[in-house]
Amino acid sequence: NILYAHGNEANGLLNSGLQGSIMGPRVNKWKSMKGLNIYDNSFDGSIAEEIGKLKYLRFLRSNNNLLSGKIPNAITKLTNLLYLDLGKNQLYSAIPVDIGSAQNLEELRVQENV
């Protein structure tokens, strides 16, 4: 299962797509999810620790949204993750130290956060 919810940068407006909290505690309901492509929207709120329960997740592309708070340590539990893009949000914490031990991670983007 892969979720595609790509927003629209129409007329040069950023964050002009879907709105609301999508990465909250209920994200663990998507246990079989292999990809979350939810970039260029107006999704807000924090990334819940429950993200670490998505053990099949290979791609998490949530750049150019309004996500805030810390990058949870649970993100390091995503052992199948190949691509992680959290750039252009309002995240303010350091990258979890253990992300360096993610053997499958090929690309990490966290640019332009607070």
Side-chain angles (χ1 to χ4, degrees), residues 13-113:
L13 297 173
L14 299 177
N15 306 107
S16 59
L18 301 172
Q19 300 176 2
S21 177
I22 194 168
M23 303 287 264
R26 297 189 71 171
V27 74
N28 70 337
K29 301 286 185 190
W30 301 340
K31 290 183 179 166
S32 64
M33 193 66 65
K34 293 180 183 172
L36 288 172
N37 291 296
I38 54 173
Y39 55 96
D40 294 340
N41 285 291
S42 294
F43 292 125
D44 59 12
S46 61
I47 303 171
E49 288 289 331
E50 287 81 359
I51 192 83
K53 295 180 180 176
L54 304 182
K55 63 182 179 178
Y56 300 108
L57 197 65
R58 297 175 60 90
F59 301 93
L60 175 52
R61 187 174 180 193
S62 185
N63 55 301
N64 197 26
N65 277 289
L66 301 170
L67 298 175
S68 59
K70 294 183 176 186
I71 300 171
N73 287 327
I75 212 144
T76 63
K77 295 179 182 177
L78 301 174
T79 57
N80 289 310
L81 197 63
L82 298 171
Y83 183 89
L84 175 62
D85 189 346
L86 298 173
K88 296 184 180 181
N89 279 289
Q90 298 171 1
L91 300 167
Y92 62 82
S93 70
I95 300 167
V97 176
D98 290 339
I99 199 80
S101 63
Q103 295 178 350
N104 293 317
L105 190 62
E106 295 176 4
E107 193 163 347
L108 172 65
R109 294 181 181 199
V110 291
Q111 78 282 2
E112 296 184 49
N113 278 287

